[in-house]
Each structure stands twice: as C-alpha cells, then as structure tokens.
Amino acid sequence: MSRINADMKIWLFDLAHGNLNDSTVLSGFVKYYVLHDMNVHDVVRDIVFNTSYGDEGVVRARETLVSILNKLSLAQNIEILL
C-alpha cells in the first residue's frame, strides 16, 4: 500500500494552508510520517516536490508542525531542536 493517498494529500494541503488544529496536525504527522520512519524534513520535501503550494505553504507547514511538536515536548519537559 502506498504511503501517499488522497487523505494524505488533503492533510498536506490543509497543513500548508493553515487549516488544521493542533490535534489534526499531530495525528496526521504520526499517521503519514512517523509510522513510516519519517520526520519533519520529509513533510517539507513532499510539499516542495509534490505540490504547488509555494514557499509560503512550505514555511507555514514547517512552522506549524515544529511549533506543535515543541509545545508537546515542553509539556513533557523535552526540547526538540529542529
């Protein structure tokens, strides 16, 4: 089964356009990336090479994802350096 499917494409679109709440960002990241041994850089790569969302979409997606991961890590007293 391919990792990239219609649901993942919708999630990437919404992430790049700022349409998701923290919980949905985190659950999509785990489902589409973490469980496939991938990370934030892979999200950026997928947006850059597989979409036409532009630099603004890439920056928004990365900043959103890193912010949510840092909030989660701070709640657990861990600092993620990305």
Side-chain angles (χ1 to χ4, degrees):
M1 185 168 112
S2 174
R3 175 182 68 86
I4 300 175
N5 59 40
D7 290 337
M8 180 185 169
K9 290 177 184 179
I10 293 168
W11 180 83
L12 279 174
F13 175 88
D14 287 335
L15 178 64
H17 291 88
N19 299 335
L20 301 173
N21 62 36
D22 289 4
S23 176
T24 307
V25 169
L26 189 58
S27 65
F29 179 62
V30 169
K31 181 178 181 180
Y32 301 122
Y33 290 90
V34 174
L35 294 176
H36 295 277
D37 197 27
M38 301 175 94
N39 59 45
V40 174
H41 300 291
D42 296 299
V43 175
V44 169
R45 186 201 66 229
D46 281 348
I47 294 172
V48 168
F49 293 111
N50 298 313
T51 75
S52 59
Y53 305 150
D55 293 341
E56 187 176 313
V58 172
V59 170
R60 182 181 294 118
R62 186 184 185 288
E63 286 178 352
T64 298
L65 192 50
V66 169
S67 173
I68 291 167
L69 291 171
N70 276 325
K71 279 191 249 179
L72 181 64
S73 69
L74 290 174
Q76 301 297 320
N77 292 325
I78 309 168
E79 185 173 343
I80 298 174
L81 300 173
L82 298 173

